[in-house]
Amino acid sequence: MGLWATRSGGRRPGRRSLGGSARPLSFSSGSVAPRPALAAPGEAGQEEEWPPGPTCAPPPPAPGAEAEELREPAPASGDGGGPGAGRAPRRPPRRLGAAPPAARAKTEELHRHAPRCCPLAGSHQPRDKPCSFTIPLRAADNVTVTIKLKPGVSLGCQIIVKNTFSSSLRIRPGETVTFTFTCSTPEKYFIMEIQKNIDCVSGPCPFGDVHLYPPGLPRLNRTFIWDVKASTKAGLELKFATPWLRQIQPGESCPDLVSYNINSCIDTATVNIGTFCRNGSVSRVKLLGGVVMSLHLPWNSALTTSGFSIANRSSIKRLCIIESILNRESSITLMSPNYPLGFPEDELMTWQFVVPSNLRASVFFHNYSLSNCERKEERVEYYLPGSVSNPEVFKLSDSQPANIAGSFNLSLQGCDQDAQNPGILRLLFQVVVQHPQIDENVTHLVDLSKERNMTVTIHFEGWPSRVPLMSEPMCLICKDPRTCDRVLTLVSGAIYKISFLCKDLSHLRITAEKGISCVDLRWCQKKIHALSVPKAITQLPVLLHKFIWKLIAPEMINVEITSPSLKLQQHLPDQRCNTSYSYSIVSATPEVDLNVGIFCPGGAIEKIQLRNNITISLKTFGKGFFNDSNHQDLKMSFVPHIKDECTFTVSPDPKAKIYLQSPNSPYGLPPYVSISWYVIVPSKQVARLGFSKDRMGIACETGRAYVNIKEQIPGAEEIVRREDELLPEPRNMHRNFWVNISNCKPVDNMQLTVQFWVTLAEKQIDLAVILAVLAGAGVLAAIGLTVCCVKKKKKKSQNPMVGVYNANVNTQMPGKQRLFKKDRKNNDSHVYAVIDDAMVYGHLLKESNGSVNPEVDVYRPFDGPMGSLPPSPPPFSFRKDIKRSPSTEEPLAETDQDSYTFAHQKSGELDNGDNTNEKNNGDTSTPFLEDKEQEGLGE
């Protein structure tokens, strides 16, 4: 037998039914009901707030209960006035009082404007008859009905009971009350509470389906409350019909605005088990002792049944047990009682999860806090299928069990709290049920045993900035069959066997980080580190999102990044990267962070030298990285201190135009920072350098900003431009060159960003130059040939000439200072380094049968007198005999009159040359110049 029976009622044509059959409403006879007052502006459409939770003690009188007892006295017969004059009330009011004239005038006004028909009555009464509601309550049902104004709503409508106007109405057990409203939309102003008290302690407790009683209620926002008092030695079970219930967090609302609230009563303490909506997995709730169950329905709800039943159970020896049936892939959220307030001290509660064996369940704690325990320890206990160590105990901070095959229990145990500082124990968790992965038995080996200072995190897409919705499909990473989570972190120095509990692995990503440091340059300068993703990561069936290298070096040690084969391309608006991955390079100091830029393989930058600590982040784009990861060639090493903040070495591609830009775009180069580019120009090519803008675009507050350009050759011109000058026009660079940009401290809201471009072209040689060179070579060849011919002809036509030393001839210009400060005998000016094979000295000649045979290529030291000046070199070579100098060396006077003379030997003098030499004291020749003069006179 049910707790109460449903009464039937009729339905007015054209109006929405309350659902089910309802008994026709009773109407009072008499004159037309008064027309309601118009609703106040802005009050339409207001909904009721969730009513305060009931208490286990008897509820106090509702606000306005005194006002509902006031009755407006009916006017005396013959007084005229409003409708119903001359008719005495059925029963006198409990409190009588004469209404003032103002009140009677207001009543008459309300009567004149009362509606002709109530749209909520649901009857077929004619429009010219007033409509009213009659609510009969049996005393045995122990039901109380209260109608009151919504909190915060102004009085725009009233309740009329026997011509008495009131803002609230309470109908107690055994009473039958007929009433009407002064407005056509009472749902905007009033709410209704229907409370049934059930005592299962002093008498038998009616169990079974719970019905909504009484019937024929006005269509107001209404709350049904069942207050069941029971012994703590017995348990009560609330069993819900399908589609069961779903727990919601405080502050949430249900889509259809139909909600259940469950409170447990132990003695005088009330514990809020939770608020639930329809369409969920919670099928039963078992409670110890009494229970206060509430059902909230909106005014337009067509629900006619409560949707649950009450049954008696034996003591459950804990606060409550909540059962959830998870028979398909789903995700549910549950909370501890009183959430977000504290769980009762030293209490125990259990959640039972019914899961088919072909599905897998995983538990995740999303929000929890711990209290300050004096005794015991707060914990969770699991009874897991197939476990030999049940119950398995976990801390709330532990990773909770996952990949559970079948039904299981989860219990929350509190502790004895510190009386002075108890703290709060609360828990919000999620249970995810899904089909196992197709290859759930497949494990992936991740060998990080040889790595150092590296972490690998496998996570969902968008981690950590985005928190996935609990309703999203969940992908789990498991490092053992029971330890699974949405995020799994692996550290270097170990070997892992992981598996995935996920239908679509495309929702997962990998983020890894590795640290490389140098303390002493003597030890780490020789080592070159390969900045490549380890094979242990690339072989996983999960896309790599980002790999981060953190390069840490002391102040006087810098970092050099090289890409020998692929080289790097700077990502710019005019030069975009279209590769499967890119590098982001950031140089960091305690004072400033320098975003060097974004680079990808396939460019012209061979090397980047950086000061300070460096962070390099490799970011992938799509699945193409799986193939490109085999060709990574980025390397780094530690180098001595460099002058500039950053130096690039660029080797342009002859077939492409490369763009280079100062770092830290779009925020501009930091103040007082200097950046350099070293551009390599091949020997057979010429580089074309140009700037994208004609000015730097800044004004300096302190210092000056410069752009310097210089070729790397001795004596090269250096081009310098300040921030207030035009940048150089495009120009050709024939050798390797430098481009340097140095910043000042710009004025506010100004940033220095300089972009330039470089192209290569083959060197072009001018045709006129080629012809001039060829013509010059031809002229030189002709001159040389002519000289050779003339010399050869002279050798055939002239007699041999011999150079003879004459100490009496002065060839020095008068008045000219001495060129040598030492005497000839004290220096080596008379010694020849080379003797022309065409010159023979006379004193070396010998007589042989009247002919002269010169001694060729033999050098003999000069034994004659020497002056202080070197001899003047002869203009030609002569083959003449020269007399040997006396063996005795005479001292020279300190004079510059030493000279040489050259003469032709006369024929015939050679025959008796010895006598002639003796006779003339060595003068055996005629001066060459004198001979020439005589020949000229003879002509």
Side-chain angles (χ1 to χ4, degrees), residues 132 142 144 165 258 381 461 503 606 643 736 917 934:
S132 61
N142 202 13
T144 301
F165 296 86
V258 177
E381 299 177 354
E461 190 174 5
K503 277 188 175 181
E606 292 183 346
K643 177 182 177 182
N736 299 348
N917 291 341
Q934 293 176 359

Side-chain angles (χ1 to χ4, degrees), residues 335-455:
M335 285 145 277
S336 60
N338 281 342
Y339 187 89
L341 302 178
F343 185 70
E345 181 180 5
D346 196 22
E347 279 289 352
L348 172 66
M349 72 158 296
T350 300
W351 290 272
Q352 293 179 339
F353 300 99
V354 180
V355 182
S357 59
N358 63 330
L359 296 178
R360 301 293 181 267
S362 302
V363 181
F364 304 96
F365 287 3
H366 291 294
N367 188 14
Y368 67 88
S369 63
L370 303 176
S371 58
N372 299 318
C373 298
E374 284 188 345
R375 291 185 305 157
K376 300 183 182 179
E377 185 179 7
E378 295 166 336
R379 63 189 185 275
V380 289
E381 299 177 354
Y382 290 88
Y383 280 84
L384 302 174
S387 175
V388 296
S389 58
N390 282 328
E392 296 189 13
V393 180
F394 291 80
K395 295 181 180 179
L396 275 73
S397 58
D398 293 339
S399 179
Q400 303 303 310
N403 201 21
I404 304 171
S407 302
F408 67 98
N409 292 353
L410 166 61
S411 297
L412 174 64
Q413 174 66 64
C415 67
D416 291 336
Q417 299 174 352
D418 184 356
Q420 301 298 326
N421 184 19
I424 293 177
L425 171 61
R426 59 186 172 190
L427 172 63
L428 182 147
F429 65 99
Q430 182 183 16
V431 178
V432 178
V433 177
Q434 56 193 143
H435 287 287
Q437 190 182 4
I438 297 175
D439 54 348
E440 68 169 324
N441 295 324
V442 175
T443 58
H444 303 272
L445 185 67
V446 182
D447 187 0
L448 303 179
S449 58
K450 297 181 181 179
E451 301 292 339
R452 295 293 179 270
N453 300 325
M454 187 171 75
T455 60

